[in-house]
Amino acid sequence: MPNIMHQFVPFLLLILLTIGASCSIQLYVLPFPTLFNNNADGSRTYPYSSIQQALDHIKRNYYHDDSTTMRYTTINLYPTYHFVDSTIKFDRVHSHTRLTTMNAEDTAFYEELIANKNSYPRLPRASISGGIPITGWTSVGNNTYKAIVTQPIFVNQLFVNNQRIARTRIPMNPSEYLQYTAPLQDPNQARYGFQYAEGQFESWPLDDAMVVVYHSWTTSHHYINQIIKSNKTVLFTNPSNSPIGIYPIQAQRRFHVENLCISFVSNSFCFVNATKTIYLMTDGSYDPTKVQIITPINEFVVILAGSDVTNPVEDITIDNVAIQHSAWNIDRTQQADYQAASFLTSAPLYIANATSVIISDVEISHTGSYGVWIREGTTSINIINSLITDTGAGGIRIGQMAAPVPTPTSSIHIISNEVSYGGNVFPSGVGVIVHRAVDVDIVDNSIHHHRYTGVSIGWEWGYAPSYTSNILVHSNYIYNTGQHILCDQGGIYTLGIQPGTIITNNVIKNVFSYAAYMWGIYLDEGSSHIIASNNVVYNIGWGGLFQHYGANNTIINNVFARNSEIQPPHPDDPIPDGDLRIMNTEDHLSWTFENNIVYDTFQGSNHSAFKSDAPDVRVSFNNNVYYNPYNTQLLFGIQQTSFIEWQKTGQDNSSIIADPLFTGDVNQCDFFTVQSNSPAVKLGFANITKLTKWTPGCGTDNVVNDNQYYRW
Ligand SMILES: *[C@@H]1O[C@H](CO)[C@@H](O)[C@H](O)[C@H]1NC(C)=O
Ligand SMILES: *[C@@H]1O[C@H](CO)[C@@H](O)[C@H](O)[C@H]1NC(C)=O
Ligand SMILES: *[C@@H]1O[C@H](CO)[C@@H](O)[C@H](O)[C@H]1NC(C)=O
Ligand SMILES: *[C@@H]1O[C@H](CO)[C@@H](O)[C@H](O)[C@H]1NC(C)=O
Ligand SMILES: *[C@@H]1O[C@H](CO)[C@@H](O)[C@H](O)[C@H]1NC(C)=O
Ligand SMILES: *[C@@H]1O[C@H](CO)[C@@H](O)[C@H](O)[C@H]1NC(C)=O
Ligand SMILES: *[C@@H]1O[C@H](CO)[C@@H](O)[C@H](O)[C@H]1NC(C)=O
Ligand SMILES: *[C@@H]1O[C@H](CO)[C@@H](O)[C@H](O)[C@H]1NC(C)=O
């Protein structure tokens, strides 16, 4: 006992000293400028009317503070919309600050002061909005209304009653496409247009139209330069990344056209830039003059960033607020096409040159690009218990693309979030993407309904230094990825050499591309030194595991079930590739594959369990259990031989083909545990922890009735 006291005394003293020298400031923000205009000082009695005033207050005090005083400021926001005129930026001088919604008592206190209580939306918590309300709607008949915006903006997103409204498009059904007739011959010209079919373009109002062209893993977004009627050629103002038409299987000749004021369906809008007029067709259930209608104007809503890496902003907490309505803009000559929508440069929550940041219980939604971007010079950034949903691209973006990395992104924790319904403007957005970063934990998240990859790790195609290591992808539930829209994607996708990267205890299900190339765990170019263990991967359109090329990966104690069962959707599509596959042969060990269960449920005469595209691929397989309950013959290796022949090559010498005897109901896709007399147990398989957020059922049906954008 005395010993313990002895240890604690200096610690207690330290606490007392800290408290003694610190001061805690409460600032209040009530976004009704007329109430306190002249007296506002941020106090409870005279609150500020904007977050910016609170930040200015902190900055003034920072310079006047005696430097030994530890100051901690809480900015308390009234629970309504806080429309920011320009981006809210926390610089170094705003360190040691918390931004939150005020408590119920303070809310009640102000509610009594607000004269016209019913003239503003009272929300569950404060919304920091990058948008502006659109008012002044007048009817033009047929459930259609118009409003004119006074700002010099191009309206390309609209939110009515907290719901995204579709931009008008042709074809109107989001799971249908137009087809052009031919690509242009010259490879550079072919990035700028194509030859269109009869009935397309010539009668459409094209000034404000955007053509969205489908490639393989991306879409490109184009404004129109000219139409040449004599040979039916459309030319764009901005290029795609690769020539349009080079992916005939993945893309076909698909495109659609957005923002034509001739193709209304209920709950769609278009914008005429010349007259700055928005046209909105409702579904008849609401009156635009009586509901909250918002269009984003700021690409960045909240920035946490010191001006350089040696002067970071420190110790910021943002909790119990929403950050919403961020804009996207594409310059008329800018290329808007690259993997993972990485050409985007903004995010509504943007963090750089920052340390010790907690984003907790925050909703980030209705965005034009990714929800969050954690960029250069960042360490100890935590995003927890938050909801990132209805994003224009993907959910969370981490790290930088340039190599070598100028200042690191490290110690990033993405824990227990829901990241959902992405790709609403740029379908190639990824649920959670790590470009180049080190020490990143992506744990216990639910990541679902994206149109491209669920989780993407690494940004180096091949064996050059990747500046990416120690990425933990643990206990995430990743599902309904791909949505039959783009191709060449995965539940979890990796690139490059990544020492210390561990992909463990995730559930990946329902990964579907438009036509081809879709895998549960996708180890793409150069993926090396990665461990994948204890994952349950099922209902994947193609293989549960695919390695393009890479070295020294370890695949241990996973379950790969019910993969490559679909029939190819179009006549020319390649057929699915089976359960496991390696594409390239290289002069090193590609992977070690041990203690796994491959539960193949294809019904037919044969199905590929492991396929290698090239001879002499260097692999090490052992102690695995393979099974097909329908007695479909499982095939292995370059020759696609029987299991017995495969074993003669020295592989899988202790593995067997036998029922793994799952404990759970395989008809509910409960593949986590096996009975104690399972042959897998004898070979070393250990039960996998069932994720609490996992839901049983084997449905691959992606139709979501409550979200119009996820029909296909
Ligand atoms: C279409 O016509 C334009 C103008 O005559 C010409 O420059 C272009 O090369 C033609 N394109 C094709 C594909 O023939
Ligand atoms: C009214 O809207 C419907 C649905 O978009 C459309 O089919 C119809 O032609 C429109 N009627 C008029 C008079 O514009
Ligand atoms: C919209 O119109 C403005 C002029 O009012 C112009 O500067 C801008 O480039 C136009 N935007 C687009 C995307 O065409
Ligand atoms: C972060 O700091 C670096 C220099 O250390 C600077 O180049 C960069 O612009 C800063 N980022 C932001 C967002 O201010
Ligand atoms: C794979 O591991 C071996 C043995 O540790 C090592 O020699 C080789 O360099 C590694 N390959 C790569 C590409 O890192
Ligand atoms: C697999 O089965 C298909 C028909 O179901 C057959 O065409 C093919 O030759 C078989 N392959 C092998 C290696 O047995
Ligand atoms: C299986 O092969 C490994 C080496 O690949 C060897 O160590 C082991 O003894 C073999 N086991 C059997 C049962 O042949
Ligand atoms: C695996 O889990 C099942 C179901 O809970 C249980 O019956 C079995 O004993 C477990 N096996 C091991 C090795 O713990």
Side-chain angles (χ1 to χ4, degrees):
M1 191 65 166
N3 278 342
I4 292 173
M5 279 311 290
H6 185 71
Q7 281 175 0
F8 270 88
V9 166
F11 180 63
L12 286 172
L13 263 178
L14 185 68
I15 289 181
L16 289 172
L17 283 172
T18 311
I19 291 171
S22 75
C23 79
S24 174
I25 302 157
Q26 301 290 325
L27 296 177
Y28 296 84
V29 180
L30 194 64
F32 307 107
T34 48
L35 279 182
F36 305 95
N37 38 0
N38 292 325
N39 297 322
D41 61 7
S43 64
R44 192 168 184 262
T45 319
Y46 299 108
Y48 286 131
S49 61
S50 74
I51 301 170
Q52 189 58 52
Q53 288 172 333
L55 289 185
D56 293 345
H57 176 118
I58 294 169
K59 186 176 181 178
R60 278 196 307 275
N61 280 26
Y62 177 86
Y63 289 117
H64 297 149
D65 263 3
D66 114 31
S67 59
T68 57
T69 306
M70 164 77 167
R71 182 183 38 76
Y72 193 89
T73 311
T74 301
I75 304 175
N76 299 280
L77 304 178
Y78 187 76
T80 186
Y81 287 107
H82 295 249
F83 296 105
V84 301
D85 294 333
S86 57
T87 303
I88 293 297
K89 185 171 178 203
F90 288 74
D91 206 336
R92 179 161 179 82
V93 296
H94 305 107
S95 295
H96 313 294
T97 295
R98 174 179 173 208
L99 181 66
T100 188
T101 299
M102 64 182 58
N103 65 29
E105 193 190 326
D106 290 335
T107 301
F109 167 76
Y110 289 121
E111 217 160 19
E112 286 180 21
L113 292 179
I114 300 168
N116 290 317
K117 280 184 200 168
N118 297 321
S119 69
Y120 73 98
R122 168 78 163 76
L123 303 173
R125 54 189 175 180
S127 165
I128 304 166
S129 172
I132 48 169
I134 301 290
T135 56
W137 294 94
T138 57
S139 174
V140 295
N142 206 13
N143 283 342
T144 306
Y145 298 78
K146 70 173 182 179
I148 292 171
V149 291
T150 48
Q151 286 81 353
I153 55 170
F154 190 108
V155 174
N156 52 29
Q157 296 182 98
L158 200 66
F159 301 96
V160 175
N161 280 339
N162 209 25
Q163 236 202 317
R164 184 182 290 264
I165 295 295
R167 275 224 282 190
T168 53
R169 58 169 265 172
I170 291 181
M172 292 181 282
N173 183 334
S175 54
E176 290 173 2
Y177 307 95
L178 299 172
Q179 302 275 338
Y180 57 87
T181 58
L184 301 183
Q185 291 301 311
D186 174 76
N188 188 45
Q189 270 290 304
R191 298 169 62 211
Y192 284 88
F194 52 68
Q195 287 191 281
Y196 58 83
E198 193 66 44
Q200 295 172 355
F201 292 102
E202 290 177 13
S203 65
W204 299 340
L206 297 178
D207 285 352
D208 302 313
M210 177 159 277
V211 179
V212 179
V213 180
Y214 294 77
H215 300 265
S216 178
W217 57 93
T218 67
T219 51
S220 56
H221 300 246
H222 306 273
Y223 293 104
I224 293 168
N225 184 16
Q226 62 170 143
I227 299 291
I228 305 168
K229 290 186 183 173
S230 60
N231 54 21
K232 293 207 173 318
T233 301
V234 59
L235 293 177
F236 307 135
T237 56
N238 55 338
S240 56
N241 186 56
S242 45
I244 294 167
I246 63 166
Y247 298 108
I249 289 165
Q250 297 98 305
Q252 296 191 351
R253 289 174 172 174
R254 283 184 293 156
F255 71 99
H256 75 257
V257 187
E258 294 184 355
N259 200 41
L260 296 174
C261 292
I262 53 171
S263 59
F264 285 106
V265 290
S266 300
N267 287 326
S268 66
F269 79 95
C270 69
F271 180 66
V272 177
N273 193 28
T275 58
K276 298 281 171 209
T277 308
I278 309 171
Y279 292 89
L280 164 67
M281 178 181 264
T282 73
D283 61 7
S285 72
Y286 57 91
D287 175 350
T289 63
K290 298 201 168 78
V291 297
Q292 184 79 14
I293 301 185
I294 294 172
T295 192
I297 56 169
N298 293 298
E299 289 190 49
F300 299 87
V301 182
V302 176
I303 295 181
L304 312 180
S307 54
D308 74 82
V309 69
T310 54
N311 284 300
V313 54
E314 293 177 337
D315 183 18
I316 300 290
T317 298
I318 302 181
D319 68 292
N320 192 28
V321 297
I323 297 172
Q324 300 181 300
H325 312 124
S326 68
W328 62 270
N329 290 294
I330 296 173
D331 186 87
R332 287 188 89 89
T333 55
Q334 176 196 344
Q335 175 182 311
D337 173 16
Y338 203 72
Q339 178 153 340
S342 58
F343 58 86
L344 293 165
T345 54
S346 65
L349 176 58
Y350 187 89
I351 305 174
N353 303 328
T355 184
S356 302
V357 171
I358 297 173
I359 307 298
S360 171
D361 190 20
V362 169
E363 174 181 332
I364 300 172
S365 59
H366 309 324
T367 77
S369 58
Y370 278 80
V372 187
W373 193 357
I374 301 165
R375 282 206 63 183
E376 73 276 2
T378 46
T379 179
S380 189
I381 310 296
N382 306 279
I383 301 189
I384 54 184
N385 288 324
S386 290
L387 170 66
I388 294 108
T389 195
D390 185 29
T391 53
I396 301 176
R397 186 173 182 185
I398 299 162
Q400 303 148 78
M401 294 178 290
V405 170
T407 62
T409 303
S410 67
S411 192
I412 309 297
H413 309 108
I414 309 297
I415 299 176
S416 303
N417 304 287
E418 178 176 339
V419 183
S420 58
Y421 300 109
N424 288 312
V425 181
F426 304 103
S428 57
V430 171
V432 178
I433 183 166
V434 178
H435 294 289
R436 301 181 196 273
V438 299
D439 298 336
V440 178
D441 294 348
I442 300 167
V443 180
D444 188 39
N445 303 286
S446 166
I447 300 167
H448 62 96
H449 288 93
H450 293 86
R451 291 163 163 121
Y452 180 60
T453 290
V455 174
S456 177
I457 310 291
W459 202 246
E460 185 63 47
W461 286 255
Y463 296 118
S466 71
Y467 305 93
T468 303
S469 58
N470 291 350
I471 313 296
L472 177 66
V473 183
H474 184 343
S475 300
N476 300 289
Y477 187 25
I478 302 167
Y479 62 96
N480 289 20
T481 289
Q483 299 285 312
H484 304 260
I485 291 170
L486 294 175
C487 291
D488 205 352
Q489 44 96 30
I492 297 176
Y493 173 90
T494 64
L495 283 167
I497 300 175
Q498 301 189 24
T501 288
I502 300 176
I503 297 169
T504 190
N505 203 196
N506 304 286
V507 176
I508 302 173
K509 73 171 190 185
N510 297 353
V511 176
F512 293 103
S513 289
Y514 174 71
Y517 315 124
M518 56 203 102
W519 294 288
I521 297 175
Y522 181 171
L523 306 175
D524 202 6
E525 304 193 40
S527 291
S528 302
H529 300 198
I530 293 172
I531 297 172
S533 71
N534 294 54
N535 300 289
V536 176
V537 181
Y538 61 93
N539 284 356
I540 311 299
W542 283 27
L545 172 69
F546 172 72
Q547 180 165 317
H548 185 173
Y549 64 88
N552 298 336
N553 295 309
T554 304
I555 317 298
I556 186 166
N557 212 88
N558 302 281
V559 174
F560 299 100
R562 297 172 55 101
N563 299 319
S564 283
E565 291 205 349
I566 55 165
Q567 292 304 308
H570 319 100
D572 294 333
D573 290 350
I575 58 162
D577 53 6
D579 300 307
L580 319 163
R581 174 175 167 198
I582 293 178
M583 193 160 149
N584 295 12
T585 301
E586 292 179 311
D587 189 21
H588 53 223
L589 181 68
S590 288
W591 74 33
T592 302
F593 189 90
E594 291 199 4
N595 303 120
N596 299 289
I597 296 174
V598 174
Y599 190 80
D600 184 304
T601 52
F602 186 79
Q603 299 187 49
S605 62
N606 58 43
H607 205 222
S608 178
F610 169 62
K611 181 177 173 186
S612 57
D613 294 39
D616 304 321
V617 57
R618 285 178 52 187
V619 288
S620 172
F621 281 77
N622 211 1
N623 295 320
N624 303 298
V625 172
Y626 302 92
Y627 188 59
N628 181 298
Y630 306 104
N631 293 318
T632 302
Q633 175 170 226
L634 298 177
L635 304 177
F636 293 81
I638 175 81
Q639 308 288 354
Q640 291 290 278
T641 53
S642 69
F643 184 60
I644 303 292
E645 292 299 315
W646 166 246
Q647 284 183 311
K648 286 181 187 161
T649 68
Q651 297 294 343
D652 267 327
N653 60 3
S654 300
S655 304
I656 64 166
I657 295 199
D659 189 336
L661 301 175
F662 287 112
T663 326
D665 182 355
V666 294
N667 295 315
Q668 291 295 317
C669 285
D670 186 343
F671 300 118
F672 297 88
T673 57
V674 294
Q675 299 167 25
S676 47
N677 60 339
S678 161
V681 171
K682 295 190 190 75
L683 293 173
F685 181 84
N687 279 342
I688 296 174
T689 306
K690 189 180 285 185
L691 298 186
T692 49
K693 31 189 86 165
W694 174 79
T695 47
C698 291
T700 57
D701 186 0
N702 289 358
V703 178
V704 179
N705 293 326
D706 61 356
N707 194 313
Q708 60 178 316
Y709 302 101
Y710 289 85
R711 276 181 286 147
W712 56 274

